[in-house]
Amino acid sequence: MNSTAPTLDSAVEESLREKLASREWRLNNLYKIKNKHGQLVKFRLNAVQKRVDAGLHNLNIVLKARQHGITTWACIRALDIALFRSNTACGLVFHTKDDAREAFIDKILFAYDELPASIRKARPVKRRDMNGVLELSNGSKITVSLSHRSGTLQWLHISEYGRICSRDPLRAKEIQSGALNTVLVGNYV
């Protein structure tokens, strides 16, 4: 027996490492979510999510009908960024406290908890605050809230901004002057 031949385990690990280098592969194979029927399923980009993800640039406005999964995509994308880019800050702003909490628990934390054990072991949680903060051992952090004001974000998703502008113009101005200004040129909104 050749002692330098890779073991089956190391060959599988190498294959997985190569796949993990692809964001598209990760988004379509690594994460699990609850679907609209409450069933545990593998997250797969739908046609709208694919179009948004493929066309992503620094400043994005997604005009769409409801129920295309953009919030789910944004939560999974933020988790993916935090897992695979060290020292990165992701923020997600929601129009209600209940929606922020639901997205944090049911989308971000759920997807993290359903990751393969090897990924969770490589990126263990440093801080898990039920008020909407998930910090990983690589220095990356996801914050889910009603706005952001301090710090610097590399990824910001604002859910239902039009609705916020219509129903609460003062909060919309706060998001504009606070959250949007936490993202430096060259990063993603």
Side-chain angles (χ1 to χ4, degrees), residues 57-59 85 152-155 182-189:
H57 52 89
N58 299 103
L59 299 172
R85 287 182 54 197
T152 302
L153 299 173
Q154 286 76 43
W155 168 265
T182 67
V183 183
L184 297 178
V185 173
N187 290 301
Y188 295 89
V189 178

Side-chain angles (χ1 to χ4, degrees), residues 31 73-85 87-94 100 103-105 107-112 115 125 127-145 148 152-157:
Y31 303 101
W73 165 81
C75 290
I76 296 297
R77 190 71 152 73
L79 179 58
D80 187 74
I81 291 167
L83 286 166
F84 293 95
R85 287 182 54 197
N87 303 309
T88 301
C90 301
L92 294 99
V93 173
F94 287 87
F104 183 66
I105 293 169
K107 297 184 187 321
I108 295 170
L109 293 182
F110 182 84
Y112 178 85
L115 285 168
V125 171
R127 183 174 126 203
R128 184 180 189 143
D129 180 335
M130 294 312 286
N131 289 321
V133 177
L134 177 67
E135 190 172 350
L136 302 175
S137 63
N138 66 349
S140 290
K141 180 168 68 169
I142 301 170
T143 305
V144 178
S145 64
H148 286 274
T152 302
L153 299 173
Q154 286 76 43
W155 168 265
L156 173 64
H157 171 75

Side-chain angles (χ1 to χ4, degrees), residues 13 43 82 118 135 167:
E13 287 174 19
F43 176 78
S118 60
E135 190 172 350
R167 293 188 177 178

